[in-house]
Amino acid sequence: MKEYRKHLTAVLLAIISIAVLAGCNSDDGKASGKSDPLKVHIALNGKMGPLVIAKEKGLFNEEFSKLDAQIEWSEFQSGPPLLESLASNRVDLSFLGDGALIAGIDKNLPFEVIAQTGRGESSVRILAQAEGNIKQIEDLKGKTVGVASGTTGHVYLIKALKAHGLTTDDIKLINLQPDDAQAAFETKKLDAWAIWNPYYLNNIEKGNAVALKVKGKILAPGAIIARNGFAKAHPEIVEAYLKVYKKAADWQIEHPDEASEIYSKDTKLPVSTVRTIITAEKPNIFFTEDAIKAQQESIDTLAGVGYIKKSFNFKNQINNEYIDEAFKK
């Protein structure tokens, strides 16, 4: 019993000592006014885009240091896995292609649309094997087509098939993330592949693929997003994020050669290929009417094929509050 009391006394003294030390440390922090920087979780969606430029050149440092904020980066191959992290509060700010964006809104995930990334006119194509017998969209009937489910490539594929009188029921659809699809396409396990840049142009330039022509013009605009709870608590961070994103986008437009070098290092693609991609269309964070119209068409199409529960008004999902405040004159 005595030994037990001695042991218990020692444990209590240890707990008291820890509490006293913690109190001293806490008091020191209050006295000096010091606090840990706010952690801001920003997700890269792929290896190209203004966020990559901003990260590489440290463009967030000045804006965020003023706000005592510090970035924690994460990276995803596509939008659907990014949405999972956002839903569990592991992503605060990022951007999404139209497929993940629409699916996320349909599922009432906790984010709001605060800007766009661009019109998406040149970003997605359907590739067929260069030496295969698929020459037009109609030839996809009964063929094996790879796409990352829920992505901008998926939306593009659905809209392209519809324009040519087909649906996804007419093809053998295989759900593959881009890197896995690349391997499957190279080994000819896929007859075709719906994919975005830099994958599609790289495969064309290597002679592996041809891009199928589609009736009309299919835009695939992306959007910049913010997690609801984070944006409400830290609107000044969201505004700073938009400022830096635009600064990086403008820098890319003005310095295409240097930007191509940066992307080439990350993607392992030839600089010339990267330059072709980034100069085909300029990034633009301010919503355009044709981009909004394209998003609405995508929403209506996906609702029509049952991919989302019901259609909704895309304009009603846009919150211009942050971009207006960030760039007010």
Side-chain angles (χ1 to χ4, degrees):
M1 182 66 71
K2 288 182 179 179
E3 290 300 319
Y4 173 76
R5 287 175 180 171
K6 286 181 181 179
H7 176 71
L8 181 60
T9 301
V11 171
L12 290 171
L13 287 172
I15 292 172
I16 292 168
S17 298
I18 291 169
V20 170
L21 287 171
C24 290
N25 290 338
S26 177
D27 289 341
D28 287 346
K30 290 177 182 178
S32 62
K34 292 180 180 178
S35 61
D36 292 334
L38 173 69
K39 293 288 193 302
V40 182
H41 299 88
I42 300 181
L44 296 172
N45 190 352
K47 296 182 181 298
M48 293 180 64
L51 279 186
V52 175
I53 297 292
K55 182 174 184 280
E56 180 72 19
K57 297 188 71 64
L59 299 183
F60 280 102
N61 295 345
E62 183 179 353
E63 285 290 336
F64 275 35
S65 62
K66 296 175 189 174
L67 302 169
D68 195 25
Q70 190 176 76
I71 296 174
E72 289 193 352
W73 294 96
S74 57
E75 184 175 342
F76 299 85
Q77 281 194 52
S78 65
L82 190 159
L83 283 177
E84 293 176 13
S85 285
L86 187 145
S88 57
N89 297 338
R90 298 198 303 271
V91 171
D92 298 320
L93 298 162
S94 189
F95 65 93
L96 294 168
D98 57 352
L101 180 75
I102 293 166
I105 295 172
D106 178 63
K107 294 174 183 175
N108 294 314
L109 293 186
F111 69 86
E112 51 190 329
V113 179
I114 59 172
Q116 71 168 25
T117 60
R119 298 169 71 246
E121 183 176 350
S122 63
S123 59
V124 188
R125 293 292 184 274
I126 299 172
L127 301 181
Q129 296 288 347
E131 298 177 358
N133 57 3
I134 297 175
K135 306 300 180 185
Q136 56 188 1
I137 297 293
E138 288 81 359
D139 295 335
L140 292 175
K141 191 168 184 176
K143 302 298 184 181
T144 302
V145 183
V147 71
S149 180
T151 64
T152 188
H154 195 180
V155 176
Y156 186 96
L157 176 63
I158 291 171
K159 292 170 82 172
L161 290 172
K162 181 182 178 183
H164 291 260
L166 300 174
T167 72
T168 52
D169 291 335
D170 294 310
I171 63 175
K172 298 173 184 176
L173 195 63
I174 307 295
N175 178 20
L176 292 171
Q177 287 296 311
D179 288 347
D180 294 330
Q182 177 69 65
F185 191 80
E186 287 178 354
T187 55
K188 295 183 169 54
K189 293 177 181 176
L190 295 176
D191 298 311
W193 180 19
I195 190 59
W196 52 87
N197 265 326
Y199 294 93
Y200 94 68
L201 184 58
N202 183 44
N203 279 275
I204 290 173
E205 290 194 344
K206 288 194 301 185
N208 294 341
V210 293
L212 301 180
K213 291 184 178 180
V214 178
K215 291 179 182 177
K217 183 184 291 185
I218 299 178
L219 300 182
I224 299 173
I225 62 160
R227 184 170 59 81
N228 288 343
F230 180 86
K232 184 177 180 180
H234 307 287
E236 73 287 354
I237 299 290
V238 179
E239 292 158 21
Y241 171 76
L242 288 171
K243 288 178 183 177
V244 175
Y245 193 104
K246 185 177 186 302
K247 184 176 181 180
D250 291 344
W251 185 90
Q252 174 182 302
I253 294 168
E254 295 164 6
H255 303 87
D257 293 332
E258 192 175 344
S260 298
E261 293 281 355
I262 291 173
Y263 293 140
S264 177
K265 182 180 69 175
D266 288 342
T267 61
K268 312 302 181 188
L269 296 176
V271 174
S272 58
T273 299
V274 174
R275 197 182 195 287
T276 299
I277 293 169
I278 68 172
T279 55
E281 181 182 341
K282 295 179 180 179
N284 171 31
I285 72 170
F286 300 100
F287 274 106
T288 58
E289 285 303 315
D290 58 350
I292 293 173
K293 181 181 177 183
Q295 289 284 27
Q296 191 61 55
E297 289 173 354
S298 294
I299 292 164
D300 296 340
T301 297
L302 294 179
V305 299
Y307 184 77
I308 59 175
K309 294 188 291 290
K310 61 180 180 179
S311 185
F312 55 86
N313 189 316
F314 181 66
K315 269 192 175 181
N316 292 342
Q317 302 296 323
I318 300 171
N319 184 350
N320 287 314
E321 174 187 342
Y322 303 104
I323 199 168
D324 288 346
E325 187 65 25
F327 300 102
K328 62 184 178 182
K329 296 180 180 178

